[in-house]
Amino acid sequence: MYYVVMKSHDIRMNLATEQYLMNNRSFDAPLLLFYYEGPSVIVGRNQNTAEELNQDYIDAHDIVVTRRLSGGGAVYHDLGNLCFSFVVDANASDFGDFKSFTQPIVDALHSMGATTAEVSGRNDILVDGKKFSGNAMYTRNGKTFSHGTLMLDVDMSVVPKVLNVPADKIASKGIQSVRSRVTNLRPYLDPQYQDLTVPEFRDILLKRLFDVDSLDAIKDREVQITPEDQAAVDQIYNEVYSNWDWVYGQSPAYTQQKRQHFDMGTIDARLTTNEGKITDLHFFGDFFGAKNADELAQALIGTVYDTAHLTEALKDVDTNAFFTGVPKEDLIALLTRT
């Protein structure tokens, strides 16, 4: 395994670096990245940014907003949150198998006293039943990255102010508020780790993951970002992660909205029909999929809008590649629900 310690505290630069390393550098072993950043909100690839955020609060507090390549839901970061990312060959794991990436992190946390930490649900890590880590995954060109958060000491009071969490998502988890189901990790660590800074926390995790007593022992495994690398990263930063069109985009006009929360995520379909056929279709939500749901939406344009024709149109389509864990018949039922 190799590793990178990001120096930037701008989430847009860190995501650009992650994307560049995934697509442009080759390694003979998995690559691990650690980074942390100032106050920011990161929405999932398939989400409608304008509907997920309290933009007035974000503007008033100079909070950075960007969109990531991976699916899942919107998350809030600040300097009390440590991010990690594993980059591997796509054939090294199944898409959506978060446990293969997160279990080594959980094992390291157990050694630091957080013995009740566990992988739970589709993509969370919990401690005493409360979430302190969310994870997302993206695959392209034979590579996959799985990245996640570790809330060591995040300002929890900000989370409900910046995110508009839909009522159906909260109800599906049987809880009353966002704050009631998330927690910081610090209180669950052993006394000798209670005062760790985020960089100190990161370095201990690195040593645990590499099974060494000193970072000097793994200096030969550290990947450096060259000036040439940085120039390419800067281009991705400008063209993607700080680009308004990528982050917000224009919300499409539509005549119908079909929304449902499934165990593996929410699908929010916006569609327009004319003379009984689908003329426009967009999928939003916090779902995961190895393929871009826009491809499926475009393939359904022109389809007669009823169950029989949609079933026929999707007969030979692996819809699980677009909406991991959602059965095809459930997708069709959602789209045709009155």
Side-chain angles (χ1 to χ4, degrees), residues 1 86 98-111 119 205 208-209:
M1 187 163 62
F86 288 97
F98 290 101
K99 188 171 184 178
S100 64
F101 296 100
T102 55
Q103 191 60 50
I105 297 289
V106 169
D107 293 342
L109 295 175
H110 285 178
S111 73
V119 181
L205 286 177
R208 296 287 196 277
L209 292 168

Side-chain angles (χ1 to χ4, degrees), residues 115-191:
T115 56
T116 61
E118 60 178 343
V119 181
S120 179
R122 60 171 187 157
N123 65 323
D124 295 340
I125 309 178
L126 311 182
V127 62
D128 275 6
K130 292 186 177 183
K131 176 179 176 178
F132 68 91
S133 172
N135 296 267
M137 192 176 291
Y138 175 75
T139 188
R140 183 183 179 187
N141 297 333
K143 294 284 188 68
T144 293
F145 69 62
S146 179
H147 50 195
T149 59
L150 294 169
M151 296 172 59
L152 179 66
D153 195 19
V154 172
D155 184 350
M156 302 286 288
S157 68
V158 177
V159 177
K161 297 175 183 176
V162 297
L163 302 181
N164 294 328
V165 181
D168 62 345
K169 185 171 184 178
I170 295 175
S172 73
K173 297 181 181 293
I175 53 172
Q176 298 303 312
S177 69
V178 177
R179 186 179 299 179
S180 70
R181 62 178 291 262
V182 296
T183 189
N184 280 316
L185 183 60
R186 189 187 296 283
Y188 300 92
L189 301 177
D190 282 340

